[in-house]
Amino acid sequence: MKKWMILFLALCLVLWGCSAPVEAQTRTIFAMDTVMELTVYADNEKLLSEAVSRIRELESKLSVTMDGSEIHTVNSAGTAPLSGDTADLLTRALALCASTGGTLDISIYPVVSAWGFTTGEYRIPEKAELETLLGRVNYSAIVLEEGVVSVPEGMQIDLGSVAKGYTGDIISTLLKENGVTSALLNLGGNVQAVGNKPDGMPWRVAVQHPTEDGYLGVLSISDEAAITSGGYERYFTGDDGQTYWHIIDPATGAPVDSGLISVTIVGDSGLICDGLSTALFVMGLEKAAQYWRNAAEEFEAILVTDDGTIYITEGLQGKFTLSENCEDAVLAVITR
Ligand code: ADP
Ligand code: MG
């Protein structure tokens, strides 16, 4: 064979190697009380293992139930030295509590526990009990100084409303730093996309229908998070036939009754999307729309009210498509 032919064949092989699609690698784990699925388009087992260890590490620091976690320690001892991760998340979560006017309140844990959401032993607390517990709820009394957190007697911190979004941000960054340009992280219904699909098109993610089987619609996202808080995720039915869900209105100590049944937030930061999905759920439609108009954070939202109307903020026009079984639903656009 002539030299140039060998060179030509070698070049073909190299080009073929470059254009061959990278196979997806998937890991499914149970962490932070939910099923997590990591789909990464890269031939890098080691990186996936590293991502899984990082999730476990974050869980062991942030968990409210795990003995020895930093949050468990402050909740039982009133004070705890924090790692960089926990201090960073706590600082940013406190800022969100403030910007959302306390509709997000990470000191709500005593109330969440009283309803049995932490153990699954559900009960309906008396009004007087809730009032006493609400006396211990006030995020602004949490003090973080030089990496040490302290809370007043009886106060307990719960980062459950933001921990998965924060974790998604950390894992997305880890993947990008290692050259990944295409990945989809599903952290128990919190979806976070790294880049686009391998073919360069946006990821298409289904948004769960809050009251029916199947989904509400499909969202197109690129390098963004899409995070839903739904009443349907964790709830119980009382002897009175009422549904009680796990998102609590810090103003009343009872499960939120804001007229919203599902809130999806789309944006660059998983942490912010996660916190806002809870906060806007508490706010209700009007206040949520107003928050979106004035917010310092950039995000878009899908809000579903209890009459089945679906509201999207204007930035989602063309990015959200109703599913076939919802084509009769009213779809309204919230404008600036
Ligand atoms: P999920 O974790 O199921 O996706 P959320 O992100 O909305 O749902 O977080 C709900 C969790 O946050 C609850 O399980 C509870 O621990 C906590 N929580 C409930 N209400 C509030 C609130 N108003 N502010 C902050 N945390 C809350
Ligand atoms: Mg949340």
Side-chain angles (χ1 to χ4, degrees), residues 15-302:
L15 288 177
W16 179 77
C18 290
S19 63
V22 185
E23 296 278 316
Q25 295 200 18
T26 310
R27 287 284 173 91
T28 306
I29 61 165
F30 190 84
M32 300 189 177
D33 211 19
T34 192
V35 177
M36 299 188 168
E37 191 175 63
L38 318 180
T39 306
V40 179
Y41 287 84
D43 186 13
N44 195 340
E45 279 287 341
K46 197 170 144 262
L47 181 57
L48 264 167
S49 301
E50 206 181 310
V52 169
S53 323
R54 193 75 175 94
I55 293 173
R56 303 246 180 254
E57 182 194 2
L58 286 166
E59 178 180 32
S60 71
K61 290 173 174 177
L62 304 174
S63 168
V64 69
T65 49
M66 265 186 194
D67 237 359
S69 83
E70 294 169 27
I71 297 302
H72 193 270
T73 304
V74 60
N75 287 351
S76 47
T79 183
L82 300 184
S83 61
D85 285 330
T86 310
D88 180 34
L89 174 56
L90 185 61
T91 306
R92 293 162 64 196
L94 285 171
L96 263 186
C97 292
S99 76
T100 59
T103 48
L104 183 74
D105 192 322
I106 55 169
S107 65
I108 198 76
Y109 193 64
V111 178
V112 173
S113 303
W115 286 90
F117 288 111
T118 47
T119 54
E121 286 162 31
Y122 301 120
R123 55 188 279 273
I124 303 171
E126 296 290 332
K127 263 214 157 75
E129 181 184 351
L130 289 177
E131 264 158 36
T132 310
L133 292 174
L134 282 177
R136 303 186 199 161
V137 175
N138 175 10
Y139 70 89
S140 62
I142 299 171
V143 178
L144 176 62
E145 261 171 9
E146 291 173 22
V148 178
V149 64
S150 314
V151 294
E153 175 90 39
M155 183 176 281
Q156 293 185 314
I157 299 175
D158 170 18
L159 295 173
S161 59
V162 287
K164 282 183 283 169
Y166 181 71
T167 302
D169 289 340
I170 298 252
I171 301 305
S172 296
T173 305
L174 172 73
L175 296 177
K176 287 181 194 173
E177 281 173 357
N178 284 277
V180 174
T181 54
S182 181
L184 197 69
L185 314 175
N186 188 338
L187 313 184
N190 282 20
V191 179
Q192 290 189 233
V194 171
N196 286 314
K197 285 191 297 173
D199 66 5
M201 298 298 284
W203 294 99
R204 291 167 57 76
V205 302
V207 179
Q208 163 132 31
H209 197 292
T211 53
E212 289 164 29
D213 284 342
Y215 54 94
L216 196 65
V218 175
L219 257 176
S220 292
I221 56 169
S222 300
D223 210 33
E224 291 167 299
I227 294 181
T228 302
S229 281
Y232 56 85
E233 279 169 13
R234 201 161 292 192
Y235 65 91
F236 71 96
T237 308
D239 293 336
D240 54 5
Q242 273 215 56
T243 302
Y244 296 94
W245 51 50
H246 72 147
I247 299 176
I248 304 288
D249 185 344
T252 62
V256 174
D257 184 16
S258 68
L260 290 175
I261 54 174
S262 170
V263 174
T264 300
I265 308 287
V266 182
D268 292 340
S269 156
L271 163 74
I272 286 173
C273 290
D274 202 359
L276 290 184
S277 70
T278 309
L280 269 61
F281 199 107
V282 175
M283 288 179 200
L285 179 66
E286 293 307 323
K287 285 188 185 145
Q290 210 45 44
Y291 185 87
W292 170 76
R293 291 190 186 99
N294 300 330
E297 309 93 12
E298 282 269 328
F299 71 93
E300 303 293 337
I302 304 171

